[in-house]
Amino acid sequence: MEITKELEERLLLLNAKYESIGQDLISYLDGLLYCEVTTYWDYIQLDTLLSLQKPKTNFSDEVVFIGYHQITELYFKLALQEFKCLANKKTVDKTEFLLRIKRINRYFEALVHSFSIMVDGMDQKEFLSFRMALLPASGFQSVQYRQIELFSTDLCNLITQTKREELKDVEDIAQLFSFIYWKYGATEEHSGKKTLTLTQFEERYDKELLALAKETQTTNLWQLYVRLNPEDQADAQVMEALKTNDLNANVYWPLAHYKSAVRYLAKTDENIASTGGTNWKKYLPPKFQKRIFYPNLWTQEEKDQWGKGWVEDQILQTIKGA
Ligand code: HEM
């Protein structure tokens, strides 16, 4: 084989690379000689991936349920990667800000569009049977979902709706954190008793989430937006991307998800308790929670109408068809 100029150049570059870290190029070339070429199945860890769907019952639809939750968590992971990338920079320019929000928006849109896999893709009888083997686990315990919220907005926007006004001047993050909407939603109003789903989640993740809440008060998406220069803040594309992000996370995904709860848990004659024990008909609909990441971008009327319309059309249709 001829040692071409190109090959010689590469060898010199490789030599410089290994020399700079005090290593011997020949040994690394020996390594190359013996190492296997990469295969698709090894690279994406296919065997491991396909071994992760471990149903607790023999109902085949439980694999659909587990698989779709895992798909969702993978998209959440990709979205978090974008949030973290922005947060690490502390200040960003418009181009990068837009690029990353658009990526997050695409992930959420894929999830919203695919939620019919849940809504229409499982046999209700099977679902109602295998879910009993999962108690008290619930998607409520998705830590990535909570992290996405903290990376999106100031904590004051995640406070349960009935306490938002009362706590608007509180600056203590730990105090605000205890009034976050999901803790409230999983606590009995009259007795103050927390559901087991919540206490388990708190034991596992409270410390970590509180630390993240503190950290993201200066690095969440909204804080990065207000640090853009005024011209970029007013840019139509930037505002549109943020508003889409708000709608995806706080209206479209929650409604697609709510539709599946209605499809499986609401019957005309009775309502079925959820595995996580919330009053889900009051807890899940965006029009009751009114969770809005970027309230300053919406008019009062838009905020008043948050989550309405779509609910009446889509959800009522599902109940009638169930
Ligand atoms: C048939 C399918 C589903 C049903 C019936 C359902 C039902 C519920 C219910 C009733 C809740 C309220 C908490 C509780 O009381 O358990 C909830 C919360 C939640 N579920 Fe699901 N779920 C389904 C699929 C999914 C999927 C595929 C995901 C994806 C990860 C998911 C993620 C979540 C999240 C993040 C919450 C918390 C929402 C919030 O706090 O606003 N769920 N689910």
Side-chain angles (χ1 to χ4, degrees):
M1 183 191 134
E2 189 196 346
I3 305 288
T4 60
K5 200 166 177 313
E6 207 186 357
L7 194 54
E8 194 186 329
E9 262 172 29
R10 291 291 190 291
L11 283 170
L12 287 172
L13 281 172
L14 276 171
N15 197 45
K17 172 182 166 172
Y18 287 106
E19 223 172 52
S20 74
I21 50 170
Q23 300 289 299
D24 170 36
L25 172 61
I26 299 294
S27 308
Y28 283 83
L29 288 178
D30 279 349
L32 259 185
L33 203 59
Y34 300 121
C35 106
E36 295 280 336
V37 292
T38 309
T39 60
Y40 169 80
W41 54 90
D42 276 342
Y43 182 61
I44 68 148
Q45 295 279 298
L46 188 63
D47 289 345
T48 308
L49 184 67
L50 299 182
S51 73
L52 296 175
Q53 296 69 47
K54 293 197 167 70
K56 298 191 84 175
T57 69
N58 284 329
F59 295 104
S60 60
D61 282 1
E62 194 185 344
V63 178
V64 180
F65 189 68
I66 296 174
Y68 189 71
H69 276 81
Q70 291 179 336
I71 288 166
T72 305
E73 291 292 347
L74 285 176
Y75 273 114
F76 285 170
K77 180 177 174 161
L78 295 183
L80 280 166
Q81 184 165 284
E82 301 305 318
F83 280 113
K84 285 175 191 167
C85 213
L86 286 171
N88 285 340
K89 299 224 158 104
K90 306 238 168 21
T91 51
V92 281
D93 62 22
K94 181 181 105 176
T95 313
E96 175 152 26
F97 190 72
L98 256 179
L99 178 136
R100 301 213 177 271
I101 298 182
K102 283 184 177 175
R103 287 186 181 189
I104 296 167
N105 289 347
R106 276 191 289 271
Y107 302 143
F108 265 87
E109 276 146 25
L111 286 174
V112 172
H113 290 136
S114 61
F115 221 98
S116 55
I117 291 170
M118 284 286 94
V119 181
D120 301 320
M122 294 182 297
D123 178 80
Q124 191 195 24
K125 256 181 142 173
E126 279 203 18
F127 173 79
L128 290 177
S129 305
F130 72 68
R131 69 192 277 278
M132 301 317 286
L134 321 176
L135 289 165
S138 165
F140 179 93
Q141 295 173 319
S142 165
V143 71
Q144 294 202 105
Y145 189 78
R146 308 300 174 206
Q147 289 168 340
I148 286 173
E149 295 178 325
L150 294 173
F151 270 111
S152 300
T153 188
D154 294 344
L155 198 50
C156 59
N157 296 320
L158 299 175
I159 299 308
T160 194
Q161 210 210 350
T162 51
K163 293 274 173 192
R164 249 173 250 170
E165 183 57 27
E166 187 187 322
L167 298 172
K168 72 177 190 311
D169 298 322
V170 173
E171 284 179 6
D172 178 15
I173 299 297
Q175 190 188 349
L176 284 177
F177 186 70
S178 64
F179 287 99
I180 206 159
Y181 78 92
W182 46 268
K183 287 188 184 243
Y184 219 73
T187 306
E188 264 183 41
E189 215 171 322
H190 59 282
S191 68
K193 195 168 179 292
K194 293 176 178 185
T195 62
L196 178 59
T197 306
L198 174 59
T199 50
Q200 287 193 328
F201 185 63
E202 286 182 333
E203 270 168 36
R204 173 70 173 81
Y205 290 116
D206 232 28
K207 233 169 122 188
E208 182 181 316
L209 284 175
L210 177 58
L212 184 67
K214 288 181 180 161
E215 198 183 304
T216 50
Q217 288 320 284
T218 51
T219 56
N220 66 58
L221 218 50
W222 177 251
Q223 288 301 319
L224 292 170
Y225 168 75
V226 295
R227 289 208 288 275
L228 290 175
N229 69 49
E231 202 182 303
D232 290 344
Q233 282 185 43
D235 181 279
Q237 271 201 66
V238 171
M239 287 178 61
E240 194 57 39
L242 269 182
K243 286 169 103 171
T244 303
N245 179 269
D246 214 348
L247 286 174
N248 283 343
N250 292 319
V251 180
Y252 301 140
W253 189 88
L255 283 176
H257 172 257
Y258 180 57
K259 206 173 160 184
S260 66
V262 170
R263 162 81 172 76
Y264 294 99
L265 302 179
K267 289 190 185 164
T268 37
D269 49 343
E270 57 174 312
N271 285 317
I272 303 165
S274 63
T275 52
T278 62
N279 179 357
W280 62 270
K281 279 193 164 178
K282 284 261 147 53
Y283 176 69
L284 292 178
K287 68 173 176 178
F288 296 132
Q289 286 282 354
K290 278 216 166 46
R291 219 155 56 228
I292 305 178
F293 287 161
Y294 318 116
N296 297 15
L297 299 185
W298 302 97
T299 64
Q300 192 53 49
E301 200 195 340
E302 286 169 331
K303 286 186 270 196
D304 291 342
Q305 291 302 312
W306 197 253
K308 291 186 186 161
W310 202 96
V311 183
E312 274 93 59
D313 297 350
Q314 298 286 317
I315 304 293
L316 288 179
Q317 258 178 31
T318 309
I319 294 175
K320 278 185 206 142

